[in-house]
């Protein structure tokens, strides 16, 4: 009887430790969010959020599919704008510390009618977010960024 109780207690302890390790970490995500919009175009921000329970360190981004990124660019994507709005994918511009519950953002291009903007309307491409936990463990998340108006999830709203 005592051996069975000990075994159950050890299993419960192991399970608790396992789930604690999975939960006690940073969880960094990114999304494209509408900065402002009007009848001629929409300006976007790239918003980065740590929704985990501890700070994240050395957060950096990479494009997971260069062909998908190239296909997402509109006719207005010139070299000057690429340098400015895609600088978040330069590892030198990493985020040193992102506290839990904190978010940061940067400008991330525009869409305009007839694909004249930096991004094509509703274009999407995958990225990979790399970061470290506070105690040095490395993590990465793969997600898709999509260029749509985030003020409305259907594309329609009151004037």
């Amino acid at each position: 009887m005592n051996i069975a109780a000990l075994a159950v207690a050890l299993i419960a302890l192991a399970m608790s430790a396992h789930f604690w390790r999975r939960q006690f970490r940073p969880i960094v995500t990114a999304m494209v969010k509408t900065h402002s919009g009007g009848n001629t175009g929409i300006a976007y921000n790239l918003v980065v959020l740590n929704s985990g329970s501890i700070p994240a360190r050395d957060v950096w981004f990479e494009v997971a599919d260069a062909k998908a990124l190239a296909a997402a660019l509109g006719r207005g994507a010139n070299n000057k704008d690429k340098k400015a709005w895609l600088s978040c994918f330069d590892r030198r511009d990493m985020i040193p510390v992102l506290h839990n519950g904190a978010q940061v953002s940067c400008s991330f291009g525009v869409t305009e009618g007839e694909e004249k903007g930096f991004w094509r309307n509703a274009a999407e491409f995958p990225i990979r977010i790399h970061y470290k936990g506070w105690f040095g463990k490395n993590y990465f998340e793969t997600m898709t960024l999509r260029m749509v108006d985030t003020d409305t999830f259907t594309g329609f709203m009151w004037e």
Side-chain angles (χ1 to χ4, degrees):
M1 184 83 105
N2 289 340
I3 293 174
L6 179 62
V8 169
L10 289 176
I11 291 171
L13 179 63
M15 288 177 64
S16 294
H18 171 74
F19 289 115
W20 177 81
R21 288 187 61 157
R22 289 183 56 100
Q23 182 181 4
F24 190 66
R25 60 166 279 201
I27 300 172
V28 178
T29 56
M31 71 174 284
V32 175
K33 189 163 179 7
T34 300
H35 173 73
S36 63
N39 60 353
T40 60
I42 301 170
Y44 299 101
N45 285 334
L46 180 64
V47 178
V48 184
L49 171 69
N50 178 3
S51 59
S53 58
I54 62 173
R57 294 186 307 154
D58 302 336
V59 180
W60 61 279
F61 306 92
E62 73 173 314
V63 175
D65 184 346
K67 288 181 182 178
L69 172 63
L73 296 174
R75 293 192 318 231
N78 58 47
N79 287 333
K80 178 184 169 203
D81 289 340
K82 284 181 187 177
K83 184 177 180 181
W85 289 331
L86 298 179
S87 65
C88 60
F89 299 111
D90 186 341
R91 194 165 176 180
R92 291 176 296 184
D93 288 328
M94 77 169 54
I95 302 164
V97 176
L98 185 59
H99 291 280
N100 48 316
Q103 71 179 32
V104 295
S105 64
C106 63
S107 58
F108 200 60
V110 297
T111 54
E112 295 178 19
E114 301 175 14
E115 311 301 339
K116 291 180 184 175
F118 183 81
W119 298 111
R120 288 179 37 245
N121 290 315
E124 52 185 54
F125 64 96
I127 66 165
R128 201 167 290 118
I129 306 171
H130 299 266
Y131 56 99
K132 292 180 183 177
W134 194 248
F135 303 106
K137 185 171 181 181
N138 292 313
Y139 300 96
F140 75 90
E141 311 289 339
T142 301
M143 26 190 16
T144 299
L145 297 180
R146 190 163 187 238
M147 305 314 140
V148 294
D149 187 353
T150 58
D151 288 341
T152 169
F153 68 93
T154 64
F156 300 98
M157 56 193 268
W158 298 109
E159 298 282 334

